[in-house]
Amino acid sequence: MADDKKDKKSKNKNIHTSYVGTFKADSYKVDDKGVASATFVTAGAEGATSEKAVKGYNDNAKTLKDAVEAGGEQIIRGTLLGGGKNPHMGIYATGPEQIAGVVSKLRDNFDSYEKDGKQPYVNAWVGVERGESKIFRAVAAFGDDALALKGIAEGDRMDVPARATHEKRTVDGADKWVEMYRVAGAGTFAPVAEKSKEADETPAP
């Protein structure tokens, strides 16, 4: 039975995410085990706010302390921990991360956004490079971040600051939350030296 539990636990993958917002005043504290915690307030649609519990373990206690002391609106990144009983983010970094990879399944509204009165967007399936390997993720950019990518084409390699998050998408006819990246600043793009076959080899988003 113990081995079964160990095998099940080993199959659980870390869920990485990020929040944009500010720390709640006077919410920072450190317990007797040296674990730092604070409340992070994010803004949603129509001005609604949501409070997120954030903790800093081991060396990341300082990461949280520095983030709280920095103040102002910021991006924090971490892993979702605690399950349903004690849900919280285990913080490990602040600010966006830089991601790069070849794009496929590209969509944008550059030809129609002004006429439609909507904000510009770019949405692509990207083989995000992780050393010698790749993880395939949807990557989306909006507003000025999307305009910085105007002219990008399938097979180009994008290089952008971004943050990991989750979005509800329809996959095989069912709605599910999928891991994705939201671009968080102006990025760059360029054709790859030799056209990649990646567009034919990437799994469906």
Side-chain angles (χ1 to χ4, degrees):
M1 184 65 70
D3 288 341
D4 290 342
K5 289 183 179 179
K6 184 177 180 181
D7 290 342
K8 185 176 181 180
K9 187 174 182 180
S10 67
K11 293 178 182 178
N12 292 338
K13 65 175 183 177
N14 291 333
I15 300 176
H16 300 274
T17 194
S18 63
Y19 302 135
V20 179
T22 58
F23 284 99
K24 188 174 182 179
D26 301 322
S27 65
Y28 176 79
K29 60 184 179 181
V30 181
D31 67 16
D32 56 4
K33 295 180 180 179
V35 177
S37 63
T39 301
F40 197 73
V41 182
T42 64
E46 300 179 357
T49 60
S50 178
E51 294 189 354
K52 311 289 187 182
V54 181
K55 294 187 178 184
Y57 297 95
N58 303 317
D59 292 345
N60 287 319
K62 185 178 186 306
T63 304
L64 180 55
K65 181 175 184 290
D66 291 345
V68 172
E69 290 179 348
E73 184 175 275
Q74 58 187 300
I75 294 170
I76 61 172
R77 307 194 329 259
T79 306
L80 296 182
L81 302 171
K85 295 182 178 180
N86 181 30
H88 63 277
M89 171 195 276
I91 191 173
Y92 55 63
T94 59
E97 62 179 299
Q98 198 71 21
I99 65 168
V102 176
V103 307
S104 62
K105 301 177 177 65
L106 180 68
R107 294 185 291 115
D108 63 60
N109 66 344
F110 292 137
D111 293 335
S112 62
Y113 77 91
E114 290 180 311
K115 179 181 65 177
D116 296 340
K118 297 182 178 180
Q119 68 171 337
Y121 76 83
V122 172
N123 199 306
W125 191 237
V126 179
V128 179
E129 297 159 3
R130 288 285 183 267
E132 296 298 316
S133 62
K134 295 182 178 68
I135 57 168
F136 293 93
R137 293 286 184 270
V139 176
F142 299 92
D144 290 341
D145 296 342
L147 290 175
L149 298 172
K150 190 172 184 179
I152 193 170
E154 296 221 3
D156 287 352
R157 182 179 183 274
M158 67 160 53
D159 194 331
V160 296
R163 62 185 187 90
T165 185
H166 295 75
E167 181 179 277
K168 185 177 286 187
R169 295 195 171 203
T170 301
V171 180
D172 297 329
D175 288 340
K176 63 182 293 187
W177 289 96
V178 297
E179 293 181 63
M180 63 168 294
Y181 278 99
R182 174 78 176 260
V183 176
T188 61
F189 62 92
V192 292
E194 183 177 333
K195 282 296 181 182
S196 172
K197 295 180 180 178
E198 190 171 1
D200 297 327
E201 297 171 352
T202 54

